[in-house]
Amino acid sequence: MIDRDTHERIIALVHKEVVPAIGCTEPMAVALCTAKATELLGCRPERIEARLSANILKNAMGVGIPGTGMIGLPIAIALGAIIGKSEYQLEVLKDLTPETLEEGKRFVTEKRIDIGLKEGLCDKLYIEITCFAGPHSEKAIIAGSHTHFVSGDASYARTSSGIYNDEIALDMRMVYDFATTAPLDEIRFIEEARRLNMNAAREALKGNYGHNLGKTIDRPLSKGIFGNTIFSHIISRTASACDARMGGAMIPVMSNSGSGNQGICATNPVCVYAKENENTEEELLRALMLSHLTSIYIKQSLGKLSALCGCVVASIGSSCGITYLMGGNYERICCSVKNMIANLTGMICDGAKPSCSLKITSGVSTALLSSLLAMEGKCVTSEEGIVDDSVDKSIHNLTAIGADAMCKTDELVLKIMTSKGK
């Protein structure tokens, strides 16, 4: 049984990590930091200097900024200074209007923004914004997570595993026990993830976003290949929400661990399966909590940003949720986790961009396969690859590869992305 203190700390952790966001969270976090620095300055800045970690640069280069029709950091920074409110957190640009967009574009064309890499940095999530007006300047810093303001370069305390000192360290048994036994009224708030992320999938169908992967899967040719099945519906609804988000739609989604795509991937597959399998509302809510909390658990040791694509993490979560909806117990759910780790480990993150919907579709497809195998009693064993008898050890093997062993891969990916055409 989970004691009351542990229960309340898990609730607090989920509230902290599962939050609404408009647009890709990396440029939104930069806009948020700009808004804070502007507020400290007390007036609109004349120029802005941004010094960022490599992973922030990587994830913000090719993604659409909601409501602008533009991509990348300059317009996000400009709008953060012009309309951003730090109290809005990752919805920092929700007050955008056509008039303020034009102001932002002028700010960019006047070359008032200087963006560069923060040298000598070890943290993968670091944003330092300095705003200048006349002889005055103010600085704001976000580090460690997308909304975590700090007063100096190293003033935030984390353990060696990447967990903040005030957070509870999770394990798979704790995740499962909490999701399946917590009083329903105390976890009902997770239903907001369903509302936002399934709405994003519906709204995506009203426009043409990104590569239109979600729409493509719904078309007659795709139905001839995939059929009109639970599988095709799951990947379509998940990809559609990602299409809209990466394509710059002004649509809020519920993020997970600082990523909207992870939030979508942890939510929509579970919701679609539950609807088509005619699961009860309680089963759906518990499956959603299981999915999101599993993703949070994995991210505790992987870190908010890494060389490993976040869809691997969130797809493991959704596989757990779907296995639960299939009637799976703790042992079957652990099998689904191991099956996932045996398959998707090593998928690189090469920034946030429209083609993320392709990776999410790969992750969700693997999640369904892993769940089906688990329910058949099939589980990748410790004789195979990086999978261990312990599900927690298997997860930490995955995150060690993503957080540590793939660092050189991350450096090369960024070098490739920044040297195109040179």
Side-chain angles (χ1 to χ4, degrees):
M1 280 291 292
I2 294 178
D3 62 72
R4 192 64 201 173
D5 177 67
T6 300
H7 176 94
E8 290 177 355
R9 292 178 70 193
I10 293 173
I11 290 281
L13 179 59
V14 178
H15 276 300
K16 176 184 174 184
E17 299 292 358
V18 181
V19 297
I22 294 177
C24 176
T25 49
E26 278 71 51
M28 289 307 104
V30 176
L32 171 63
C33 199
T34 305
K36 173 65 79 173
T38 301
E39 291 164 2
L40 293 172
L41 187 65
C43 64
R44 182 177 295 186
E46 296 168 3
R47 64 186 180 90
I48 302 170
E49 184 179 275
R51 293 295 177 262
L52 313 169
S53 62
N55 283 74
I56 290 288
L57 282 172
K58 178 183 74 172
N59 278 16
M61 286 174 59
V63 69
I65 307 303
T68 69
M70 301 172 70
I71 65 170
L73 283 169
I75 190 63
I77 291 171
L79 292 175
I82 293 167
I83 63 161
K85 291 183 176 66
S86 62
E87 66 193 74
Y88 290 168
Q89 297 284 284
L90 293 178
E91 296 180 285
V92 60
L93 301 185
K94 68 180 181 180
D95 288 342
L96 181 65
T97 66
E99 293 74 25
T100 52
L101 175 57
E102 291 306 311
E103 290 182 52
K105 289 178 178 179
R106 283 195 297 273
F107 199 96
V108 172
T109 58
E110 291 168 358
K111 300 189 183 303
R112 296 174 179 268
I113 302 170
D114 176 29
I115 301 171
L117 191 66
K118 178 72 173 180
E119 299 295 340
L121 192 65
C122 60
D123 202 297
K124 295 181 179 180
L125 199 165
Y126 183 89
I127 302 164
E128 179 183 299
I129 302 291
T130 308
C131 290
F132 301 86
H136 305 290
S137 67
E138 289 289 348
K139 180 188 291 186
I141 297 173
I142 286 175
S145 67
H146 292 75
T147 59
H148 188 242
F149 285 98
V150 300
S151 58
D153 289 16
S155 64
Y156 56 101
R158 292 191 295 166
T159 66
S160 60
S161 66
I163 301 170
Y164 283 93
N165 289 338
D166 61 344
E167 286 182 4
I168 184 167
L170 299 170
D171 59 48
M172 198 64 214
R173 184 82 228 190
M174 188 188 302
V175 167
Y176 174 82
D177 286 348
F178 176 84
T180 57
T181 66
L184 201 59
D185 285 345
E186 296 185 24
I187 63 169
R188 193 175 295 279
F189 66 88
I190 202 69
E191 189 173 24
E192 183 69 0
R194 171 176 66 171
R195 187 185 73 81
L196 289 181
N197 294 352
M198 291 301 290
N199 180 66
R202 289 188 291 270
E203 290 296 314
L205 301 179
K206 299 177 182 179
N208 290 310
Y209 298 104
H211 297 292
N212 277 327
L213 180 58
K215 277 186 167 182
T216 299
I217 295 167
D218 267 343
R219 288 174 181 157
L221 177 59
S222 298
K223 282 187 165 54
I225 297 170
F226 297 113
N228 188 21
T229 63
I230 296 177
F231 171 72
S232 66
H233 298 165
I234 285 174
I235 58 175
S236 172
R237 302 302 178 268
T238 309
S240 290
C242 181
D243 285 334
R245 179 173 175 270
M246 294 288 96
M250 189 63 98
I251 301 170
V253 302
M254 191 66 80
S255 66
N256 183 296
S257 303
S259 168
N261 282 349
Q262 285 170 200
I264 290 166
C265 195
T267 302
N268 290 21
V270 176
C271 292
V272 175
Y273 185 87
K275 180 180 179 181
E276 304 219 8
N277 194 49
E278 299 183 349
N279 288 98
T280 65
E281 179 190 29
E282 177 175 350
E283 288 168 339
L284 170 59
L285 294 178
R286 295 196 183 282
L288 281 173
M289 182 56 71
L290 178 60
S291 178
H292 277 274
L293 197 54
T294 299
S295 300
I296 292 168
Y297 164 41
I298 298 171
K299 279 297 216 175
Q300 284 188 327
S301 54
L302 180 63
K304 292 292 190 292
L305 298 178
S306 73
L308 186 70
C309 177
C311 87
V312 175
V313 174
S315 295
I316 293 173
S318 62
S319 183
C320 292
I322 290 170
T323 304
Y324 173 78
L325 292 172
M326 289 177 172
N329 58 14
Y330 177 70
E331 286 70 29
R332 290 286 189 262
I333 287 166
C334 289
C335 284
S336 73
V337 172
K338 293 178 183 180
N339 293 341
M340 290 291 294
I341 291 171
N343 191 333
L344 281 188
T345 299
M347 183 186 287
I348 65 165
C349 170
D350 54 346
K353 61 213 174 300
S355 61
C356 285
S357 60
L358 291 165
K359 295 191 177 190
I360 277 183
T361 299
S362 296
V364 172
S365 300
T366 303
L368 289 162
L369 178 62
S370 297
S371 295
L372 286 170
L373 281 174
M375 291 306 293
E376 289 289 325
K378 304 296 183 183
C379 185
V380 176
T381 69
S382 60
E383 305 298 319
E384 305 170 69
I386 66 168
V387 172
D388 193 271
D389 287 331
S390 162
V391 67
D392 295 295
K393 180 61 176 173
S394 297
I395 287 170
H396 289 287
N397 290 344
L398 167 73
T399 59
I401 290 170
D404 301 323
M406 291 177 70
C407 287
K408 287 293 183 183
T409 300
D410 217 17
E411 292 173 11
L412 180 57
V413 167
L414 183 63
K415 181 179 179 181
I416 292 169
M417 290 173 65
T418 55
S419 61
K420 291 179 184 177
K422 295 181 180 179

